[in-house]
mmCIF file of all heavy atoms in Angstrom:
data_model
loop_
_atom_site.group_PDB
_atom_site.id
_atom_site.type_symbol
_atom_site.label_atom_id
_atom_site.label_comp_id
_atom_site.label_asym_id
_atom_site.label_seq_id
_atom_site.Cartn_x
_atom_site.Cartn_y
_atom_site.Cartn_z
ATOM 1 N N ASN A 921 35.117 -119.519 -5.068
ATOM 2 C CA ASN A 921 35.337 -118.192 -5.633
ATOM 3 C C ASN A 921 36.012 -117.257 -4.631
ATOM 4 O O ASN A 921 36.589 -116.246 -5.013
ATOM 5 C CB ASN A 921 34.010 -117.587 -6.104
ATOM 6 C CG ASN A 921 33.524 -118.229 -7.397
ATOM 7 O OD1 ASN A 921 34.325 -118.774 -8.162
ATOM 8 N ND2 ASN A 921 32.228 -118.177 -7.625
ATOM 9 N N GLY A 922 35.925 -117.582 -3.368
ATOM 10 C CA GLY A 922 36.626 -116.816 -2.344
ATOM 11 C C GLY A 922 35.723 -116.201 -1.299
ATOM 12 O O GLY A 922 34.832 -115.423 -1.627
ATOM 13 N N LYS A 923 35.943 -116.584 -0.041
ATOM 14 C CA LYS A 923 35.192 -116.034 1.080
ATOM 15 C C LYS A 923 36.146 -115.738 2.237
ATOM 16 O O LYS A 923 37.190 -116.375 2.397
ATOM 17 C CB LYS A 923 34.104 -117.007 1.561
ATOM 18 C CG LYS A 923 32.977 -117.236 0.559
ATOM 19 C CD LYS A 923 32.156 -115.992 0.322
ATOM 20 C CE LYS A 923 31.007 -116.224 -0.647
ATOM 21 N NZ LYS A 923 30.259 -114.989 -0.938
ATOM 22 N N ILE A 924 35.756 -114.769 3.053
ATOM 23 C CA ILE A 924 36.480 -114.452 4.289
ATOM 24 C C ILE A 924 35.591 -114.846 5.460
ATOM 25 O O ILE A 924 34.456 -114.373 5.566
ATOM 26 C CB ILE A 924 36.814 -112.958 4.382
ATOM 27 C CG1 ILE A 924 37.722 -112.540 3.222
ATOM 28 C CG2 ILE A 924 37.492 -112.630 5.709
ATOM 29 C CD1 ILE A 924 38.006 -111.062 3.187
ATOM 30 N N LEU A 925 36.098 -115.704 6.322
ATOM 31 C CA LEU A 925 35.355 -116.146 7.499
ATOM 32 C C LEU A 925 36.051 -115.620 8.751
ATOM 33 O O LEU A 925 37.263 -115.769 8.911
ATOM 34 C CB LEU A 925 35.290 -117.677 7.549
ATOM 35 C CG LEU A 925 34.724 -118.365 6.309
ATOM 36 C CD1 LEU A 925 34.759 -119.869 6.466
ATOM 37 C CD2 LEU A 925 33.314 -117.892 6.025
ATOM 38 N N LEU A 926 35.289 -114.971 9.600
ATOM 39 C CA LEU A 926 35.811 -114.450 10.863
ATOM 40 C C LEU A 926 35.392 -115.390 11.984
ATOM 41 O O LEU A 926 34.205 -115.528 12.274
ATOM 42 C CB LEU A 926 35.278 -113.036 11.119
ATOM 43 C CG LEU A 926 35.488 -112.020 9.985
ATOM 44 C CD1 LEU A 926 34.927 -110.665 10.391
ATOM 45 C CD2 LEU A 926 36.950 -111.908 9.589
ATOM 46 N N VAL A 927 36.364 -116.037 12.587
ATOM 47 C CA VAL A 927 36.094 -117.044 13.617
ATOM 48 C C VAL A 927 36.474 -116.512 14.992
ATOM 49 O O VAL A 927 37.558 -115.943 15.167
ATOM 50 C CB VAL A 927 36.885 -118.342 13.330
ATOM 51 C CG1 VAL A 927 36.619 -119.385 14.411
ATOM 52 C CG2 VAL A 927 36.541 -118.890 11.952
ATOM 53 N N ASP A 928 35.581 -116.676 15.957
ATOM 54 C CA ASP A 928 35.878 -116.339 17.343
ATOM 55 C C ASP A 928 36.415 -117.607 18.002
ATOM 56 O O ASP A 928 35.671 -118.404 18.565
ATOM 57 C CB ASP A 928 34.607 -115.845 18.046
ATOM 58 C CG ASP A 928 34.909 -115.204 19.396
ATOM 59 O OD1 ASP A 928 36.087 -115.163 19.784
ATOM 60 O OD2 ASP A 928 33.958 -114.753 20.055
ATOM 61 N N LYS A 929 37.733 -117.800 17.904
ATOM 62 C CA LYS A 929 38.346 -119.065 18.326
ATOM 63 C C LYS A 929 38.264 -119.255 19.838
ATOM 64 O O LYS A 929 38.688 -118.394 20.603
ATOM 65 C CB LYS A 929 39.813 -119.123 17.890
ATOM 66 C CG LYS A 929 40.418 -120.537 18.053
ATOM 67 C CD LYS A 929 41.910 -120.547 17.837
ATOM 68 C CE LYS A 929 42.680 -120.263 19.093
ATOM 69 N NZ LYS A 929 42.499 -121.271 20.158
ATOM 70 N N PRO A 930 37.756 -120.387 20.274
ATOM 71 C CA PRO A 930 37.700 -120.656 21.719
ATOM 72 C C PRO A 930 39.021 -121.218 22.233
ATOM 73 O O PRO A 930 39.887 -121.623 21.460
ATOM 74 C CB PRO A 930 36.589 -121.703 21.824
ATOM 75 C CG PRO A 930 36.648 -122.440 20.525
ATOM 76 C CD PRO A 930 37.089 -121.435 19.491
ATOM 77 N N TRP A 931 39.148 -121.262 23.538
ATOM 78 C CA TRP A 931 40.337 -121.813 24.192
ATOM 79 C C TRP A 931 40.448 -123.311 23.885
ATOM 80 O O TRP A 931 39.464 -124.038 23.850
ATOM 81 C CB TRP A 931 40.211 -121.614 25.706
ATOM 82 C CG TRP A 931 41.462 -121.937 26.467
ATOM 83 C CD1 TRP A 931 42.438 -121.061 26.831
ATOM 84 C CD2 TRP A 931 41.853 -123.210 26.982
ATOM 85 N NE1 TRP A 931 43.425 -121.699 27.535
ATOM 86 C CE2 TRP A 931 43.093 -123.026 27.635
ATOM 87 C CE3 TRP A 931 41.294 -124.481 26.933
ATOM 88 C CZ2 TRP A 931 43.771 -124.075 28.248
ATOM 89 C CZ3 TRP A 931 41.977 -125.533 27.536
ATOM 90 C CH2 TRP A 931 43.187 -125.321 28.186
ATOM 91 N N GLY A 932 41.665 -123.766 23.648
ATOM 92 C CA GLY A 932 41.915 -125.199 23.480
ATOM 93 C C GLY A 932 41.964 -125.688 22.039
ATOM 94 O O GLY A 932 42.496 -126.765 21.772
ATOM 95 N N TRP A 933 41.408 -124.926 21.116
ATOM 96 C CA TRP A 933 41.417 -125.326 19.707
ATOM 97 C C TRP A 933 42.704 -124.843 19.038
ATOM 98 O O TRP A 933 43.138 -123.723 19.258
ATOM 99 C CB TRP A 933 40.234 -124.712 18.965
ATOM 100 C CG TRP A 933 38.928 -125.394 19.209
ATOM 101 C CD1 TRP A 933 38.199 -125.365 20.354
ATOM 102 C CD2 TRP A 933 38.172 -126.172 18.273
ATOM 103 N NE1 TRP A 933 37.033 -126.081 20.196
ATOM 104 C CE2 TRP A 933 36.997 -126.581 18.927
ATOM 105 C CE3 TRP A 933 38.372 -126.545 16.938
ATOM 106 C CZ2 TRP A 933 36.029 -127.365 18.301
ATOM 107 C CZ3 TRP A 933 37.408 -127.328 16.311
ATOM 108 C CH2 TRP A 933 36.255 -127.732 16.993
ATOM 109 N N THR A 934 43.298 -125.694 18.175
ATOM 110 C CA THR A 934 44.399 -125.225 17.343
ATOM 111 C C THR A 934 43.807 -124.533 16.118
ATOM 112 O O THR A 934 42.673 -124.828 15.712
ATOM 113 C CB THR A 934 45.294 -126.379 16.867
ATOM 114 O OG1 THR A 934 44.541 -127.229 15.980
ATOM 115 C CG2 THR A 934 45.812 -127.200 18.044
ATOM 116 N N SER A 935 44.571 -123.644 15.527
ATOM 117 C CA SER A 935 44.108 -122.958 14.319
ATOM 118 C C SER A 935 43.885 -123.965 13.192
ATOM 119 O O SER A 935 42.939 -123.843 12.400
ATOM 120 C CB SER A 935 45.145 -121.904 13.893
ATOM 121 O OG SER A 935 45.318 -120.950 14.913
ATOM 122 N N PHE A 936 44.743 -124.981 13.134
ATOM 123 C CA PHE A 936 44.615 -126.027 12.112
ATOM 124 C C PHE A 936 43.298 -126.772 12.250
ATOM 125 O O PHE A 936 42.607 -127.050 11.257
ATOM 126 C CB PHE A 936 45.787 -127.013 12.224
ATOM 127 C CG PHE A 936 45.676 -128.202 11.313
ATOM 128 C CD1 PHE A 936 46.020 -128.108 9.971
ATOM 129 C CD2 PHE A 936 45.216 -129.422 11.797
ATOM 130 C CE1 PHE A 936 45.906 -129.205 9.125
ATOM 131 C CE2 PHE A 936 45.099 -130.522 10.960
ATOM 132 C CZ PHE A 936 45.440 -130.407 9.625
ATOM 133 N N ASN A 937 42.915 -127.103 13.491
ATOM 134 C CA ASN A 937 41.674 -127.849 13.704
ATOM 135 C C ASN A 937 40.435 -127.010 13.403
ATOM 136 O O ASN A 937 39.400 -127.550 13.000
ATOM 137 C CB ASN A 937 41.616 -128.385 15.140
ATOM 138 C CG ASN A 937 42.503 -129.601 15.322
ATOM 139 O OD1 ASN A 937 42.818 -130.287 14.361
ATOM 140 N ND2 ASN A 937 42.924 -129.859 16.548
ATOM 141 N N ILE A 938 40.531 -125.702 13.600
ATOM 142 C CA ILE A 938 39.425 -124.812 13.215
ATOM 143 C C ILE A 938 39.215 -124.888 11.705
ATOM 144 O O ILE A 938 38.086 -125.049 11.220
ATOM 145 C CB ILE A 938 39.723 -123.349 13.622
ATOM 146 C CG1 ILE A 938 39.722 -123.199 15.152
ATOM 147 C CG2 ILE A 938 38.729 -122.396 12.971
ATOM 148 C CD1 ILE A 938 38.372 -123.159 15.807
ATOM 149 N N VAL A 939 40.300 -124.771 10.951
ATOM 150 C CA VAL A 939 40.229 -124.833 9.482
ATOM 151 C C VAL A 939 39.691 -126.187 9.036
ATOM 152 O O VAL A 939 38.840 -126.280 8.132
ATOM 153 C CB VAL A 939 41.621 -124.571 8.867
ATOM 154 C CG1 VAL A 939 41.602 -124.838 7.358
ATOM 155 C CG2 VAL A 939 42.059 -123.146 9.135
ATOM 156 N N LYS A 940 40.159 -127.233 9.680
ATOM 157 C CA LYS A 940 39.722 -128.592 9.345
ATOM 158 C C LYS A 940 38.220 -128.756 9.580
ATOM 159 O O LYS A 940 37.503 -129.374 8.769
ATOM 160 C CB LYS A 940 40.504 -129.601 10.197
ATOM 161 C CG LYS A 940 40.216 -131.059 9.870
ATOM 162 C CD LYS A 940 41.082 -131.962 10.742
ATOM 163 C CE LYS A 940 40.771 -133.426 10.471
ATOM 164 N NZ LYS A 940 41.587 -134.321 11.353
ATOM 165 N N LYS A 941 37.721 -128.206 10.680
ATOM 166 C CA LYS A 941 36.303 -128.286 11.013
ATOM 167 C C LYS A 941 35.448 -127.545 9.990
ATOM 168 O O LYS A 941 34.390 -128.019 9.563
ATOM 169 C CB LYS A 941 36.072 -127.708 12.410
ATOM 170 C CG LYS A 941 34.631 -127.748 12.895
ATOM 171 C CD LYS A 941 34.200 -129.149 13.248
ATOM 172 C CE LYS A 941 32.821 -129.159 13.877
ATOM 173 N NZ LYS A 941 32.379 -130.505 14.230
ATOM 174 N N ILE A 942 35.910 -126.356 9.592
ATOM 175 C CA ILE A 942 35.158 -125.557 8.617
ATOM 176 C C ILE A 942 35.143 -126.254 7.265
ATOM 177 O O ILE A 942 34.111 -126.314 6.593
ATOM 178 C CB ILE A 942 35.773 -124.144 8.506
ATOM 179 C CG1 ILE A 942 35.544 -123.374 9.806
ATOM 180 C CG2 ILE A 942 35.154 -123.379 7.338
ATOM 181 C CD1 ILE A 942 36.241 -122.028 9.858
ATOM 182 N N ARG A 943 36.286 -126.779 6.848
ATOM 183 C CA ARG A 943 36.351 -127.508 5.577
ATOM 184 C C ARG A 943 35.359 -128.674 5.565
ATOM 185 O O ARG A 943 34.607 -128.867 4.610
ATOM 186 C CB ARG A 943 37.761 -128.047 5.346
ATOM 187 C CG ARG A 943 37.889 -128.885 4.067
ATOM 188 C CD ARG A 943 39.149 -129.718 4.094
ATOM 189 N NE ARG A 943 40.342 -128.908 3.997
ATOM 190 C CZ ARG A 943 40.872 -128.511 2.854
ATOM 191 N NH1 ARG A 943 40.300 -128.843 1.700
ATOM 192 N NH2 ARG A 943 41.958 -127.787 2.850
ATOM 193 N N SER A 944 35.352 -129.421 6.660
ATOM 194 C CA SER A 944 34.463 -130.577 6.766
ATOM 195 C C SER A 944 33.003 -130.159 6.685
ATOM 196 O O SER A 944 32.186 -130.801 6.022
ATOM 197 C CB SER A 944 34.737 -131.308 8.085
ATOM 198 O OG SER A 944 33.828 -132.367 8.278
ATOM 199 N N SER A 945 32.657 -129.054 7.378
ATOM 200 C CA SER A 945 31.274 -128.583 7.381
ATOM 201 C C SER A 945 30.822 -128.139 5.992
ATOM 202 O O SER A 945 29.710 -128.453 5.561
ATOM 203 C CB SER A 945 31.136 -127.418 8.361
ATOM 204 O OG SER A 945 29.834 -126.894 8.354
ATOM 205 N N ILE A 946 31.692 -127.433 5.276
ATOM 206 C CA ILE A 946 31.350 -126.963 3.933
ATOM 207 C C ILE A 946 31.153 -128.141 2.986
ATOM 208 O O ILE A 946 30.201 -128.183 2.198
ATOM 209 C CB ILE A 946 32.443 -126.009 3.399
ATOM 210 C CG1 ILE A 946 32.432 -124.705 4.206
ATOM 211 C CG2 ILE A 946 32.223 -125.715 1.911
ATOM 212 C CD1 ILE A 946 33.611 -123.797 3.912
ATOM 213 N N LEU A 947 32.026 -129.140 3.074
ATOM 214 C CA LEU A 947 31.915 -130.310 2.192
ATOM 215 C C LEU A 947 30.711 -131.174 2.543
ATOM 216 O O LEU A 947 30.098 -131.776 1.668
ATOM 217 C CB LEU A 947 33.203 -131.138 2.266
ATOM 218 C CG LEU A 947 34.436 -130.513 1.608
ATOM 219 C CD1 LEU A 947 35.654 -131.398 1.805
ATOM 220 C CD2 LEU A 947 34.197 -130.273 0.120
ATOM 221 N N ASN A 948 30.351 -131.202 3.815
ATOM 222 C CA ASN A 948 29.175 -131.978 4.219
ATOM 223 C C ASN A 948 27.893 -131.377 3.662
ATOM 224 O O ASN A 948 26.920 -132.087 3.403
ATOM 225 C CB ASN A 948 29.085 -132.051 5.743
ATOM 226 C CG ASN A 948 30.084 -133.026 6.338
ATOM 227 O OD1 ASN A 948 30.610 -133.889 5.640
ATOM 228 N ND2 ASN A 948 30.368 -132.880 7.622
ATOM 229 N N ASP A 949 27.898 -130.050 3.469
ATOM 230 C CA ASP A 949 26.732 -129.376 2.912
ATOM 231 C C ASP A 949 26.672 -129.457 1.387
ATOM 232 O O ASP A 949 25.661 -129.137 0.772
ATOM 233 C CB ASP A 949 26.725 -127.893 3.320
ATOM 234 C CG ASP A 949 26.417 -127.723 4.809
ATOM 235 O OD1 ASP A 949 25.867 -128.662 5.402
ATOM 236 O OD2 ASP A 949 26.748 -126.651 5.360
ATOM 237 N N ALA A 950 27.787 -129.882 0.778
ATOM 238 C CA ALA A 950 27.845 -129.965 -0.682
ATOM 239 C C ALA A 950 27.390 -131.335 -1.171
ATOM 240 O O ALA A 950 27.492 -132.332 -0.456
ATOM 241 C CB ALA A 950 29.269 -129.683 -1.157
ATOM 242 N N THR A 951 26.885 -131.381 -2.389
ATOM 243 C CA THR A 951 26.431 -132.652 -2.962
ATOM 244 C C THR A 951 27.607 -133.467 -3.478
ATOM 245 O O THR A 951 27.512 -134.674 -3.653
ATOM 246 C CB THR A 951 25.447 -132.397 -4.114
ATOM 247 O OG1 THR A 951 26.055 -131.517 -5.067
ATOM 248 C CG2 THR A 951 24.162 -131.771 -3.592
ATOM 249 N N THR A 952 28.735 -132.802 -3.742
ATOM 250 C CA THR A 952 29.942 -133.497 -4.179
ATOM 251 C C THR A 952 31.055 -133.225 -3.176
ATOM 252 O O THR A 952 31.004 -132.272 -2.417
ATOM 253 C CB THR A 952 30.395 -132.998 -5.561
ATOM 254 O OG1 THR A 952 30.697 -131.594 -5.484
ATOM 255 C CG2 THR A 952 29.312 -133.231 -6.601
ATOM 256 N N LYS A 953 32.055 -134.094 -3.165
ATOM 257 C CA LYS A 953 33.169 -133.964 -2.232
ATOM 258 C C LYS A 953 34.402 -133.385 -2.930
ATOM 259 O O LYS A 953 35.532 -133.723 -2.621
ATOM 260 C CB LYS A 953 33.493 -135.335 -1.611
ATOM 261 C CG LYS A 953 32.347 -135.938 -0.835
ATOM 262 C CD LYS A 953 31.863 -135.018 0.267
ATOM 263 C CE LYS A 953 30.661 -135.594 1.011
ATOM 264 N NZ LYS A 953 30.116 -134.662 2.007
ATOM 265 N N GLU A 954 34.161 -132.481 -3.849
ATOM 266 C CA GLU A 954 35.251 -131.856 -4.577
ATOM 267 C C GLU A 954 36.078 -130.992 -3.631
ATOM 268 O O GLU A 954 35.554 -130.307 -2.759
ATOM 269 C CB GLU A 954 34.676 -130.987 -5.706
ATOM 270 C CG GLU A 954 35.733 -130.459 -6.655
ATOM 271 C CD GLU A 954 35.117 -129.760 -7.857
ATOM 272 O OE1 GLU A 954 33.909 -129.952 -8.090
ATOM 273 O OE2 GLU A 954 35.846 -129.038 -8.542
ATOM 274 N N ASN A 955 37.388 -131.033 -3.828
ATOM 275 C CA ASN A 955 38.284 -130.307 -2.935
ATOM 276 C C ASN A 955 38.292 -128.811 -3.251
ATOM 277 O O ASN A 955 37.934 -128.391 -4.341
ATOM 278 C CB ASN A 955 39.700 -130.861 -3.060
ATOM 279 C CG ASN A 955 40.552 -130.522 -1.846
ATOM 280 O OD1 ASN A 955 40.044 -130.084 -0.822
ATOM 281 N ND2 ASN A 955 41.846 -130.720 -1.966
ATOM 282 N N PHE A 956 38.698 -127.995 -2.275
ATOM 283 C CA PHE A 956 38.830 -126.555 -2.473
ATOM 284 C C PHE A 956 39.873 -126.027 -1.501
ATOM 285 O O PHE A 956 40.171 -126.660 -0.489
ATOM 286 C CB PHE A 956 37.491 -125.841 -2.279
ATOM 287 C CG PHE A 956 36.989 -125.853 -0.860
ATOM 288 C CD1 PHE A 956 37.122 -124.733 -0.059
ATOM 289 C CD2 PHE A 956 36.399 -126.986 -0.319
ATOM 290 C CE1 PHE A 956 36.670 -124.737 1.251
ATOM 291 C CE2 PHE A 956 35.943 -127.003 0.988
ATOM 292 C CZ PHE A 956 36.081 -125.870 1.770
ATOM 293 N N LYS A 957 40.432 -124.868 -1.822
ATOM 294 C CA LYS A 957 41.481 -124.288 -0.988
ATOM 295 C C LYS A 957 40.882 -123.597 0.230
ATOM 296 O O LYS A 957 39.867 -122.914 0.139
ATOM 297 C CB LYS A 957 42.297 -123.276 -1.792
ATOM 298 C CG LYS A 957 43.173 -123.887 -2.872
ATOM 299 C CD LYS A 957 43.987 -122.817 -3.576
ATOM 300 C CE LYS A 957 44.897 -123.415 -4.634
ATOM 301 N NZ LYS A 957 45.698 -122.369 -5.328
ATOM 302 N N ILE A 958 41.565 -123.752 1.362
ATOM 303 C CA ILE A 958 41.143 -123.092 2.594
ATOM 304 C C ILE A 958 42.348 -122.988 3.525
ATOM 305 O O ILE A 958 43.193 -123.894 3.569
ATOM 306 C CB ILE A 958 39.983 -123.846 3.277
ATOM 307 C CG1 ILE A 958 39.484 -123.077 4.511
ATOM 308 C CG2 ILE A 958 40.374 -125.269 3.640
ATOM 309 C CD1 ILE A 958 38.196 -123.639 5.099
ATOM 310 N N GLY A 959 42.473 -121.885 4.243
ATOM 311 C CA GLY A 959 43.575 -121.715 5.183
ATOM 312 C C GLY A 959 43.326 -120.511 6.068
ATOM 313 O O GLY A 959 42.381 -119.755 5.857
ATOM 314 N N HIS A 960 44.160 -120.351 7.084
ATOM 315 C CA HIS A 960 43.994 -119.203 7.985
ATOM 316 C C HIS A 960 45.097 -118.180 7.745
ATOM 317 O O HIS A 960 46.150 -118.498 7.190
ATOM 318 C CB HIS A 960 43.971 -119.645 9.451
ATOM 319 C CG HIS A 960 45.236 -120.298 9.916
ATOM 320 N ND1 HIS A 960 46.379 -119.587 10.203
ATOM 321 C CD2 HIS A 960 45.549 -121.610 10.142
ATOM 322 C CE1 HIS A 960 47.332 -120.414 10.597
ATOM 323 N NE2 HIS A 960 46.863 -121.644 10.556
ATOM 324 N N ALA A 961 44.845 -116.949 8.173
ATOM 325 C CA ALA A 961 45.779 -115.846 7.919
ATOM 326 C C ALA A 961 46.474 -115.410 9.202
ATOM 327 O O ALA A 961 46.496 -114.229 9.538
ATOM 328 C CB ALA A 961 45.042 -114.671 7.293
ATOM 329 N N GLY A 962 47.035 -116.367 9.924
ATOM 330 C CA GLY A 962 47.756 -116.028 11.153
ATOM 331 C C GLY A 962 47.363 -116.914 12.307
ATOM 332 O O GLY A 962 46.236 -116.860 12.794
ATOM 333 N N THR A 963 48.300 -117.726 12.775
ATOM 334 C CA THR A 963 48.040 -118.704 13.831
ATOM 335 C C THR A 963 47.706 -118.056 15.171
ATOM 336 O O THR A 963 48.296 -117.038 15.546
ATOM 337 C CB THR A 963 49.272 -119.608 14.019
ATOM 338 O OG1 THR A 963 49.578 -120.250 12.779
ATOM 339 C CG2 THR A 963 49.025 -120.665 15.084
ATOM 340 N N LEU A 964 46.761 -118.670 15.868
ATOM 341 C CA LEU A 964 46.520 -118.383 17.283
ATOM 342 C C LEU A 964 46.871 -119.640 18.058
ATOM 343 O O LEU A 964 46.422 -120.731 17.702
ATOM 344 C CB LEU A 964 45.052 -118.020 17.523
ATOM 345 C CG LEU A 964 44.644 -116.547 17.529
ATOM 346 C CD1 LEU A 964 43.154 -116.429 17.813
ATOM 347 C CD2 LEU A 964 45.435 -115.737 18.547
#
């Protein structure tokens, strides 16, 4: 339905890998592996 996540990105991580990690964590907590949209609003 839509959420805003504020991430304090550490040194060494790509913005893509942060998004990938969050996606994985959300799906791991779900009972189904249904896909959903996720992305960042400006690369670091």
Side-chain angles (χ1 to χ4, degrees):
N921 285 336
K923 293 294 182 183
I924 298 176
L925 305 178
L926 307 181
V927 179
D928 192 359
K929 192 189 88 63
W931 189 94
W933 283 71
T934 66
S935 300
F936 174 80
N937 283 337
I938 292 283
V939 172
K940 184 178 178 182
K941 181 73 174 180
I942 292 174
R943 177 197 291 274
S944 175
S945 177
I946 292 171
L947 289 177
N948 284 342
D949 289 341
T951 54
T952 61
K953 299 303 177 185
E954 189 172 344
N955 201 13
F956 68 102
K957 290 182 178 180
I958 184 170
H960 62 76
T963 302
L964 265 181

